[in-house]
Amino acid sequence: MTYNVLSHDPLILVNFKTYSEATGKKAVDLARKIAEVGNKTGVKVGVAPQFCDVMQVAAQVDVLVFAQHVDPLAPGAFTGHVSAESVKAAGATGTLLNHSERTIRMGDILKSVQRARELGLLTVVCAGQVESTAAVSLLMPDMVAIEPPELIGTGRAVSKEKPDVITDSVRKIREVNPTVKILCGAGITTGDDIYTALKLGAEGFLIASGVVKAPDPVRVISDFCEAANRFSEMSK
Amino acid sequence: MTYNVLSHDPLILVNFKTYSEATGKKAVDLARKIAEVGNKTGVKVGVAPQFCDVMQVAAQVDVLVFAQHVDPLAPGAFTGHVSAESVKAAGATGTLLNHSERTIRMGDILKSVQRARELGLLTVVCAGQVESTAAVSLLMPDMVAIEPPELIGTGRAVSKEKPDVITDSVRKIREVNPTVKILCGAGITTGDDIYTALKLGAEGFLIASGVVKAPDPVRVISDFCEAANRFSEMSK
Amino acid sequence: MTYNVLSHDPLILVNFKTYSEATGKKAVDLARKIAEVGNKTGVKVGVAPQFCDVMQVAAQVDVLVFAQHVDPLAPGAFTGHVSAESVKAAGATGTLLNHSERTIRMGDILKSVQRARELGLLTVVCAGQVESTAAVSLLMPDMVAIEPPELIGTGRAVSKEKPDVITDSVRKIREVNPTVKILCGAGITTGDDIYTALKLGAEGFLIASGVVKAPDPVRVISDFCEAANRFSEMSK
Amino acid sequence: MTYNVLSHDPLILVNFKTYSEATGKKAVDLARKIAEVGNKTGVKVGVAPQFCDVMQVAAQVDVLVFAQHVDPLAPGAFTGHVSAESVKAAGATGTLLNHSERTIRMGDILKSVQRARELGLLTVVCAGQVESTAAVSLLMPDMVAIEPPELIGTGRAVSKEKPDVITDSVRKIREVNPTVKILCGAGITTGDDIYTALKLGAEGFLIASGVVKAPDPVRVISDFCEAANRFSEMSK
C-alpha cells in the first residue's frame, strides 16, 4: 500500500510493539479492525507490527504497514539483524526508526534513512525532546515523531501534559525542514488528545498502548479518526 | 515441524543471514531445495531465515525453521525487538542465539534460553572459543554451535584448519553438559569437511555462505548430506 | 599492591560506582578510611573507584585497587574506551568485569580475562544467577562475584534473602573450577550478613551502597571486618 | 585550564585514543611536548587522554584536557561508567562525544551535552557526514568535529580528499547554529592539510595518529601550529 507523505491529511499509525494482544494472528485481526475504521472514516491509518508479522499483515490487510526498526546494513553476513530489504520484501511501506524503546546511533539513523529511501521505504524517526526532533529532521526522514519518553504508555497525553514540547518542536523542525511530516505520540488515549495535538501543529500520530491495550480498540481508533476529521473540517 | 534434539542423527542447519540470495521469495525457494535434499537423503535439515521470512518458510516448506536471534523479554512495550512469542507464533521450531554477528550478553543468553524453553522453542547457542562453548553449555541450551569467528565465511573449514577447537570444545563441553547437542560451523564447504568434523565429535552443523552463496546450493547440501550418511554408516 | 588470590582469607571489596560520595578527592578519603580499617583488623580490603580516580587512589592509599570495567581491546585506535593497559599503568591490581550495571558479551568477558592475565591484572567477573556464575567460572577469571541484581542496593542481603543462590552457585562453580575465589554481594549491610555468607561458602564480598552510602562507612566496614575475623576464628 | 570557545583562534586538539604511545607516563610526556609547542607558537592546543590519565595530565601539564567520552548519567549506581562529575573532578576542561570509534545514541548526545554544560565542561561532538554534523549542531554543543570515518588514520587528509565535506558541513552547520566552533579531522598529517582546512572554513582540528604515531610528534605539531599562524596572518 502506498502513501503520499506530502499530503496534509492526518496519519494515525498504531505501533504494536511486542504486545501479546497484537502478536501472530492477533496482529492480523487488530490490523483489520484498524483498517476498517480507516476506510469508514476516510482517515489514513497504519500499523507497525513485529517483524515476524509484517508479511502476513501486509498480505491480508489493506493498511499501511511499517516495520518497527531496521538495521543500517546492506544485505550480507549479518545474522540476527533486520535488513531493510527483508522488510521491503515482506510488503512494508516503511519503518519506524529510533523509537525510545529502540534508540540507535545518530549515524545509524542517517544510514537507515538513506537506505530506506533507496528501497522506496518511508521512514518515521522518533525523538523525545525539542532539540532532538529538530536534529533528526536534518537527516531527511519522511516523518518525525515527537514522543517524550516519560509520557509513553502513561495515558497522560503529550498534547495536554507537555503542549510546549509539540509547539516548540514544530517550530524548530520547520526552521530546518519545511516538508517533513510531523507526528506526535505518548499518552494519547482520547479524540480530544488528537484534536488538541492537531491544533498544536501535529500532522499525525504514533500510538501504541492507547489502542492496543484498550478494552475496545475499535472504539478508541474510531474516536481518534473522528477527532481527526473534526479538525480537518474546522481547518478548511 | 518438531525435532528430537536428543537423537544422535546429524543436523544440518543453514543460516540465511541477511543474504539477498535468501531473502523474501528466495528464502522460500532455497528452503524448499534444502528440504528436498533432506527428504531424499534422510538427513535432518533446517534453515534460519530472517525474521520477516520465518512465517512464510514455516508455512510453505516442511523443514525445521529457526529464527536467527530472539530478545530476552516477555511481551510488552518493546518496540523494534524480537519476542520469542512472535517467532513461535510464526511457526519456528527454535532460534539461534549469540551468533558471532549478533553476540549478546551472558545474562541475556540465559534469559533467552529459559524463555525459549517455556515456549517450547529449541535453542542453538553459538560461541567461538573452547572456553566459551563450554561456558554456554552450562546455561542449558538444547544445542551449542562452535564457530571460530575468524573462519566464518572463509571457505577454510574449522574441521581442517582448527580441528583442536572441535575436539577440545567437545571434551570441555561434555565435562559440564552430557546431553547438549554439539554443532560446529565456519568455513565448511565440502562433504569432506562434514565427515571430518563428525569424526572429531561434532553432531551437527551450522552453515551459511557455504550453501547460500554457492553457485549450486543443491549440489553442496547434497554433498553434505551424503557425507553425513557415510559417517552414520561407518559408525554403526 | 599485590594480592594472593589463592589465599583463603576473606576479601572485602568496595565498589565506588559513580557515587558522588566516592568521586574525586572523596574517593581518596573513603579509600583511606577503608584501608585503615583493613590494617587495624588484618582483613584484606580493596576498592573499585571510577577510572579517573584509579591513579590517585593507587598512588596515595595502601589498598587493593580495582577498576570497575575494562574493554576487550589491545592498545590502538579506540577512542573513549578503557584499555587494560591504562588501568594497569594507573596502578590498579585488577578489574571488575560484567557487573550487572555494566554487563558485557560472553566473548568479551573471555577476551578481557585473558588480556588482564597477560598484563598481571586480577579479574572479578560478576554474574547474577546460579547458572551464569558457573558459566563465567569456566572462563578462568581469578574471582567470581555472585550478585542477584534484584537485591543490589536494597539492603536486603543475598545471604539472608537468597541463601540458596550462594550455596547452589558455590556447588556449581566448584564442579567446574576448583580454585576461582568466590565473592558475593547485593544487599549486604551488616556483619551478620557477612558471617552468614561466609558460612554458606562465600570467600569474599563485593559491596557498594552498604558502605559508600552509609552514614558512617567506617563503622560499617569495621563491622564487616570483625565479622570476617570472627568467622576465620571459628573455622580454624 | 579554561578556554574561550567563542574566540576565533584555531584550536588543535590531539586525541590520544588508547595508543600505547600515549598511555600512563607517556600521556604526560606527550601532553607536555604539545603544550610547549602551543606556548611557543601561541596556538591554542589541547589533548584528550584516556580516562585513567586525565587527572595526571591536567595536574602536571598546562594544557587543555578533554576526556574522550562521558556517559549520560547523574552520579549513582552505575558501575563501570564514566560520569561527567569524575571527569570534571579530575581537572578536565571538556569532553569529546560521539567519536566514530565511540558512537552514542542521539538522545545520549543531547543528555551528555546538557549535563556537561551544567558542570562547566566543554563538549566536542563528532560526526562523519554533512547531514549529521548539522544535526548534532542543533543539540547545542560547544564544538562539532567533522570526521569522515573512512579517512580516520589513513594519512589522506579530509581537507584534500573530501574538501566538499568540510565546505558543505560548514554551510549546513551555519544555517542552524551560528556560534558552534567547527573542528575537522581525519587523515591530517601536514601543515598544508591544516592550512587548507582553515581556508575551507574549519576553525580547529581533532587529530590523533597524525601526531601520536608520528616518528617526531613535536615536529608535526609545530608544523600544524605554524600553518595555523600562517592562516591567521593571512586572514587579518
Side-chain angles (χ1 to χ4, degrees):
Chain A
M1 201 178 178
T2 60
Y3 173 60
N4 176 10
V5 73
L6 293 175
S7 81
H8 289 297
D9 304 330
L11 170 70
I12 295 179
L13 187 50
V14 183
N15 177 3
F16 286 5
K17 300 194 174 183
T18 57
Y19 289 131
S20 51
E21 294 86 350
T23 298
K25 286 201 177 60
K26 292 182 181 173
V28 176
D29 291 344
L30 183 55
R32 190 168 284 134
K33 288 176 186 165
I34 291 168
E36 281 167 9
V37 174
N39 272 338
K40 213 167 58 184
T41 57
V43 173
K44 206 77 185 176
V45 294
V47 299
Q50 291 179 76
F51 305 121
C52 288
D53 293 326
V54 165
M55 190 178 282
Q56 62 170 348
V57 172
Q60 298 178 38
V61 187
D62 187 32
V63 70
L64 293 168
V65 179
F66 284 71
Q68 294 176 16
H69 166 83
V70 297
D71 287 310
L73 46 84
F78 302 104
T79 301
H81 289 84
V82 181
S83 68
E85 276 76 6
S86 73
V87 157
K88 175 77 181 177
T93 301
T95 185
L96 309 184
L97 286 170
N98 199 46
H99 189 277
S100 72
E101 292 154 12
R102 188 72 163 92
T103 52
I104 54 177
R105 289 156 180 172
M106 160 74 82
D108 289 346
I109 301 175
L110 180 58
K111 271 187 234 162
S112 287
V113 164
Q114 292 173 340
R115 294 228 64 230
R117 176 151 307 126
E118 287 165 26
L119 297 176
L121 286 170
L122 296 175
T123 49
V124 180
V125 177
C126 306
Q129 292 180 267
V130 173
E131 295 86 344
S132 45
T133 48
V136 298
S137 300
L138 277 175
L139 307 178
M140 304 307 288
D142 299 290
M143 300 177 246
V144 295
I146 314 164
E147 292 207 308
E150 66 278 16
L151 295 179
I152 291 178
T154 60
R156 291 159 38 223
V158 58
S159 42
K160 283 185 184 155
E161 298 276 329
K162 301 214 168 182
D164 288 358
V165 170
I166 300 182
T167 48
D168 292 355
S169 294
V170 169
R171 199 187 63 245
K172 289 256 183 192
I173 291 167
R174 284 295 169 244
E175 284 172 18
V176 300
N177 185 326
T179 59
V180 67
K181 192 175 186 90
I182 304 174
L183 313 187
C184 79
I188 285 176
T189 55
T190 70
D192 271 5
D193 300 335
I194 295 283
Y195 191 88
T196 308
L198 289 167
K199 279 209 298 185
L200 294 169
E203 303 169 296
F205 298 90
L206 183 59
I207 287 157
S209 62
V211 169
V212 181
K213 307 289 268 188
D216 184 353
V218 169
R219 202 194 53 69
V220 174
I221 194 86
S222 301
D223 195 20
F224 288 178
C225 289
E226 282 154 22
N229 277 336
R230 220 176 329 134
F231 177 80
S232 299
E233 280 304 306
M234 275 303 190
S235 47
K236 266 180 194 167
Chain B
M1 200 178 179
T2 61
Y3 173 60
N4 176 10
V5 73
L6 293 176
S7 82
H8 289 295
D9 304 330
L11 170 69
I12 295 179
L13 188 49
V14 183
N15 177 3
F16 286 5
K17 300 195 174 184
T18 56
Y19 289 132
S20 51
E21 294 86 350
T23 298
K25 287 200 176 61
K26 293 182 181 172
V28 176
D29 291 344
L30 183 55
R32 192 168 284 134
K33 287 177 188 166
I34 290 167
E36 281 167 11
V37 175
N39 273 339
K40 213 167 58 181
T41 58
V43 173
K44 206 75 185 177
V45 294
V47 298
Q50 291 179 76
F51 305 121
C52 287
D53 294 325
V54 165
M55 190 179 281
Q56 61 169 349
V57 173
Q60 298 179 36
V61 188
D62 186 32
V63 69
L64 294 168
V65 179
F66 284 72
Q68 294 177 15
H69 166 83
V70 298
D71 287 310
L73 47 84
F78 301 104
T79 300
H81 289 85
V82 180
S83 68
E85 276 75 6
S86 74
V87 156
K88 174 79 180 175
T93 301
T95 185
L96 308 184
L97 287 170
N98 199 44
H99 189 277
S100 71
E101 293 155 10
R102 190 73 164 90
T103 51
I104 54 176
R105 290 157 179 170
M106 160 74 81
D108 289 346
I109 301 176
L110 181 58
K111 270 187 234 161
S112 288
V113 164
Q114 292 172 340
R115 293 228 66 232
R117 176 152 305 128
E118 287 165 26
L119 296 175
L121 286 170
L122 297 176
T123 48
V124 180
V125 177
C126 305
Q129 293 180 267
V130 173
E131 294 87 344
S132 46
T133 47
V136 297
S137 300
L138 278 174
L139 307 178
M140 304 307 287
D142 298 291
M143 300 178 246
V144 294
I146 314 165
E147 292 207 308
E150 65 279 15
L151 295 179
I152 291 179
T154 60
R156 291 159 38 221
V158 59
S159 42
K160 283 186 185 154
E161 297 277 328
K162 302 214 168 180
D164 289 358
V165 171
I166 301 182
T167 47
D168 292 355
S169 294
V170 169
R171 198 185 64 245
K172 289 256 183 191
I173 292 166
R174 285 295 169 244
E175 285 172 17
V176 301
N177 185 326
T179 58
V180 68
K181 191 175 187 90
I182 303 174
L183 313 188
C184 79
I188 285 176
T189 56
T190 70
D192 270 4
D193 300 337
I194 295 283
Y195 192 87
T196 308
L198 289 167
K199 279 208 299 187
L200 295 169
E203 302 170 298
F205 298 90
L206 183 57
I207 287 157
S209 62
V211 169
V212 181
K213 306 289 270 189
D216 184 352
V218 169
R219 203 193 54 70
V220 174
I221 195 87
S222 300
D223 195 20
F224 288 178
C225 288
E226 282 153 22
N229 278 336
R230 222 174 330 134
F231 178 80
S232 299
E233 279 304 305
M234 275 303 188
S235 48
K236 263 180 197 166
Chain C
M1 200 178 179
T2 60
Y3 173 59
N4 176 9
V5 74
L6 293 176
S7 81
H8 289 296
D9 304 330
L11 170 70
I12 295 178
L13 187 51
V14 183
N15 177 4
F16 286 5
K17 300 194 174 183
T18 57
Y19 289 132
S20 51
E21 293 86 350
T23 297
K25 287 201 177 59
K26 293 182 181 172
V28 175
D29 291 345
L30 183 55
R32 191 168 283 133
K33 287 175 187 165
I34 290 167
E36 282 167 9
V37 175
N39 273 339
K40 213 167 59 183
T41 58
V43 173
K44 206 75 187 177
V45 294
V47 299
Q50 291 179 75
F51 306 120
C52 287
D53 294 325
V54 166
M55 190 178 282
Q56 63 169 349
V57 173
Q60 298 178 38
V61 187
D62 187 31
V63 69
L64 294 168
V65 179
F66 284 71
Q68 294 176 15
H69 166 82
V70 298
D71 287 310
L73 46 85
F78 302 104
T79 301
H81 288 85
V82 180
S83 68
E85 277 75 7
S86 73
V87 156
K88 175 79 180 176
T93 301
T95 186
L96 309 184
L97 287 170
N98 199 46
H99 189 277
S100 71
E101 292 155 11
R102 189 71 163 94
T103 52
I104 54 176
R105 290 157 178 172
M106 160 75 80
D108 289 346
I109 301 175
L110 180 58
K111 271 187 233 161
S112 287
V113 164
Q114 293 173 340
R115 294 228 63 230
R117 176 152 305 127
E118 287 165 26
L119 296 175
L121 286 170
L122 297 175
T123 48
V124 180
V125 177
C126 305
Q129 292 180 267
V130 173
E131 295 87 343
S132 46
T133 48
V136 297
S137 299
L138 278 174
L139 307 178
M140 305 307 288
D142 298 291
M143 300 178 247
V144 295
I146 315 164
E147 291 206 308
E150 65 278 17
L151 296 178
I152 291 178
T154 60
R156 292 159 39 222
V158 59
S159 43
K160 282 185 184 155
E161 297 277 327
K162 302 216 168 179
D164 289 357
V165 170
I166 300 182
T167 48
D168 292 355
S169 294
V170 169
R171 198 186 65 244
K172 289 255 182 193
I173 292 167
R174 284 295 169 244
E175 284 172 18
V176 300
N177 186 327
T179 59
V180 67
K181 192 175 186 91
I182 303 174
L183 313 187
C184 78
I188 286 176
T189 56
T190 72
D192 271 4
D193 301 335
I194 295 284
Y195 191 87
T196 307
L198 289 167
K199 280 209 297 187
L200 294 170
E203 303 169 296
F205 299 90
L206 183 57
I207 287 157
S209 62
V211 170
V212 181
K213 306 290 270 188
D216 184 352
V218 169
R219 204 194 53 69
V220 174
I221 194 87
S222 300
D223 195 20
F224 289 178
C225 289
E226 283 152 21
N229 278 336
R230 222 175 328 134
F231 177 80
S232 299
E233 279 305 304
M234 275 303 189
S235 48
K236 263 179 197 168
Chain D
M1 200 178 178
T2 60
Y3 173 60
N4 177 8
V5 74
L6 293 176
S7 81
H8 290 295
D9 304 331
L11 171 69
I12 295 179
L13 188 49
V14 183
N15 177 3
F16 286 5
K17 300 195 174 183
T18 57
Y19 289 131
S20 50
E21 294 85 350
T23 298
K25 286 199 177 60
K26 292 181 181 173
V28 175
D29 292 344
L30 183 55
R32 191 168 283 133
K33 287 176 188 167
I34 290 167
E36 282 166 9
V37 175
N39 273 338
K40 214 167 57 183
T41 58
V43 173
K44 206 75 186 178
V45 294
V47 299
Q50 291 179 76
F51 305 120
C52 287
D53 294 325
V54 165
M55 190 177 282
Q56 63 170 347
V57 172
Q60 299 178 37
V61 187
D62 186 30
V63 69
L64 293 169
V65 179
F66 284 72
Q68 294 176 14
H69 165 83
V70 298
D71 287 309
L73 46 84
F78 302 104
T79 300
H81 288 85
V82 181
S83 68
E85 275 76 5
S86 73
V87 157
K88 175 78 179 176
T93 301
T95 186
L96 308 185
L97 287 170
N98 200 45
H99 189 277
S100 71
E101 292 154 11
R102 189 72 163 93
T103 51
I104 55 176
R105 290 159 179 170
M106 159 76 81
D108 289 346
I109 301 176
L110 180 58
K111 272 187 233 162
S112 288
V113 164
Q114 292 173 339
R115 294 228 64 231
R117 177 152 305 127
E118 287 166 27
L119 296 175
L121 287 170
L122 297 175
T123 48
V124 180
V125 178
C126 305
Q129 293 181 266
V130 172
E131 294 87 345
S132 45
T133 47
V136 298
S137 300
L138 277 175
L139 307 178
M140 304 308 286
D142 298 291
M143 300 177 247
V144 294
I146 315 165
E147 292 207 307
E150 64 278 16
L151 295 179
I152 291 178
T154 60
R156 291 159 37 221
V158 59
S159 42
K160 282 186 186 155
E161 297 276 328
K162 302 215 169 181
D164 288 358
V165 170
I166 301 181
T167 48
D168 291 356
S169 294
V170 170
R171 197 186 64 244
K172 288 256 183 192
I173 291 166
R174 284 296 169 245
E175 285 172 17
V176 300
N177 186 325
T179 58
V180 66
K181 192 176 186 90
I182 303 175
L183 313 187
C184 78
I188 286 176
T189 56
T190 71
D192 271 4
D193 301 335
I194 295 284
Y195 191 88
T196 307
L198 289 167
K199 279 209 297 187
L200 295 170
E203 302 169 298
F205 298 90
L206 184 57
I207 286 157
S209 63
V211 169
V212 181
K213 307 289 271 188
D216 184 352
V218 169
R219 202 192 54 69
V220 174
I221 194 87
S222 300
D223 195 21
F224 288 178
C225 288
E226 282 153 22
N229 278 336
R230 221 174 329 134
F231 177 80
S232 299
E233 280 305 306
M234 276 302 190
S235 48
K236 264 180 196 165

